[in-house]
Amino acid sequence: MGKRRIAILGSTGSIGTQALDVIRQHRDLFEVELISAYRSTELLCAQAREFDANSVVICDEALYKEVSDSLWNTDSKVFAGVESLCELVKGDNIDIVVGAMVGFSGLRPTLAALEASKIVALANKETLVAAGGIVTRTAREHNAAILPVDSEHSAIFQCLLGAQGNELVKIHLTASGGPFRTWSRERIAGASAADALKHPNWDMGAKVTIDSATMMNKGLELIEACWLFDVVPSMVNVVVHPESIVHSMVEFADGAVIAQLGCPDMREPIGLALSFPARLTVGNRKLDFASLGALHFESPDEERFPNLGIARRAFERGGNIPCAMNAANEVAVKAFLEGRTSFYGITDIIEKSVSGATFVADPTLDDIFSTHEETIRCAKELIR
Ligand code: MG
């Protein structure tokens, strides 16, 4: 088989750089065809040179000249804007598209890749939260595969490989509990962005790290699991597991539970999505059970972490409501990172924005975009 030709949407972020690290270890298996970034020009140009990328897209069009000047003496062709990205991911020169953009911005290019029947290695969970119905329908209609990169969903996907046609009855979605797992509600209420950015186990981008501290990340992942594995929220049991060794589990009718374990390192699920069904070495640490000693599990506390319940209820209401919730969360997390709202301010902003959203039961893509934009406006107003 020839080399797999890869496009990485969001190559300078946490997932993007780790995907390139996996590729760096297996240059004989992969060709980097396309990389894109929103604004990190310096790293993007360095990646273009190292991996000899054919196409380089800078999404912020104002930075086009900087990137194209920097890469003038290379073979890389430089493009600007999300529209170019949507065209380029459809190219015949691409086999796998890694969706590693942050937040709602990944929706359009992900849909473009699915429409072109690409394999999409999806890390960008917000895409499924905001428009899961449209995204999964597009994948089905175009015979495009979505391979999960999110560690929990990669775990569930791997556990289901052993199902042999048996229906799963429950997903046990593990959560680290984040940096505030043992903090009181009062102490959490005064937490700063710096406190929230200290994730105990995972090395991730700022957005997902804050989402992890509020447990909105687990709420988004619950919705992601419902779309990816065609289950209802009552079949998803969120369980806090502070060691982050069990990446998630599936349960069958006979009570048998199959788990996937590993040291917390995103290169493992990324590597599997890039090389599936083959497994690659990815340079991660291996488990040493004797030194681990014990693994712990506990129920999530929705008093201290209300966002998990908000996400579940948003999905149960359905339609465009998860999209509104996601948009409000994106605005609120940004405000929290900038010190403009408190930790529980995030929850307030989401709740008020969602209750203000106009319900659309079966949203079109246009409805999704207008819900996103309207909710952003409403959430920004609330912060002001
Ligand atoms: Mg995850």
Side-chain angles (χ1 to χ4, degrees), residues 83 104 117 141 168 174 181 186 192 223 225 242 255 262 278 284 293 336:
E83 287 309 314
F104 186 81
S117 308
E141 282 170 6
L168 88 161
T174 52
R181 182 178 62 88
E186 293 65 36
S192 68
I223 297 174
N284 53 352
F336 177 69

Side-chain angles (χ1 to χ4, degrees), residues 123-150:
N124 176 214
K125 63 194 90 183
E126 292 91 343
T127 287
L128 281 170
V129 172
I134 294 169
V135 170
T136 51
R137 199 181 318 130
T138 305
R140 268 197 310 278
E141 282 170 6
H142 296 272
N143 234 331
I146 300 176
L147 293 179
V149 168
D150 208 348

Side-chain angles (χ1 to χ4, degrees), residues 38 58-65 80-84:
Y38 175 48
I58 183 75
C59 291
D60 184 340
E61 301 187 23
L63 298 169
Y64 171 75
K65 192 169 155 23
V82 175
E83 287 309 314
S84 318

Side-chain angles (χ1 to χ4, degrees), residues 66-298:
E66 188 184 328
V67 176
S68 99
D69 284 355
S70 160
L71 295 176
W72 73 274
N73 59 349
T74 68
D75 293 334
S76 300
K77 287 184 274 303
V78 180
F79 302 84
V82 175
E83 287 309 314
S84 318
L85 190 56
C86 291
E87 273 313 305
L88 289 162
V89 294
K90 296 183 177 179
D92 288 337
N93 60 325
I94 289 165
D95 301 312
I96 302 180
V97 176
V98 180
M101 293 166 78
V102 177
F104 186 81
S105 63
L107 177 57
R108 229 191 263 272
T110 301
L111 284 173
L114 293 171
E115 281 162 10
S117 308
K118 304 298 180 190
I119 296 170
V120 174
L122 191 65
N124 176 214
K125 63 194 90 183
E126 292 91 343
T127 287
L128 281 170
V129 172
I134 294 169
V135 170
T136 51
R137 199 181 318 130
T138 305
R140 268 197 310 278
E141 282 170 6
H142 296 272
N143 234 331
I146 300 176
L147 293 179
V149 168
D150 208 348
S151 61
E152 295 79 0
H153 305 75
S154 174
I156 297 161
F157 171 76
Q158 293 177 60
C159 293
L160 288 173
L161 296 175
Q164 302 281 352
N166 289 291
E167 241 173 80
L168 88 161
V169 299
K170 209 168 221 31
I171 287 173
H172 298 280
L173 187 68
T174 52
S176 69
F180 305 144
R181 182 178 62 88
T182 59
W183 290 29
S184 68
R185 195 180 156 100
E186 293 65 36
R187 194 173 164 212
I188 295 172
S192 68
D195 294 327
L197 286 169
K198 286 181 203 132
H199 196 277
N201 305 332
W202 292 97
D203 174 15
M204 307 178 291
K207 162 75 166 52
V208 58
T209 305
I210 300 300
D211 282 344
S212 181
T214 67
M215 288 197 78
M216 176 53 92
N217 185 51
K218 217 42 61 178
L220 300 176
E221 289 184 353
L222 184 152
I223 297 174
E224 183 185 11
C226 288
W227 285 118
L228 284 174
F229 305 109
D230 196 18
V231 298
V232 293
S234 60
M235 289 167 70
V236 183
N237 171 46
V238 173
V239 59
V240 175
H241 165 46
E243 291 90 355
S244 298
I245 297 294
V246 176
H247 295 157
S248 277
M249 305 172 261
V250 303
E251 185 176 320
F252 295 98
D254 58 359
V257 174
I258 299 184
Q260 189 264 329
L261 287 71
C263 288
D265 187 323
M266 286 309 296
R267 292 175 301 177
E268 182 215 289
I270 293 168
L272 185 65
L274 291 180
S275 63
F276 185 79
R279 290 178 184 270
L280 304 173
T281 56
V282 294
N284 53 352
R285 267 189 319 123
K286 302 300 188 294
L287 282 178
D288 176 351
F289 286 97
S291 75
L292 272 175
L295 297 175
H296 298 85
F297 299 92
E298 61 195 45

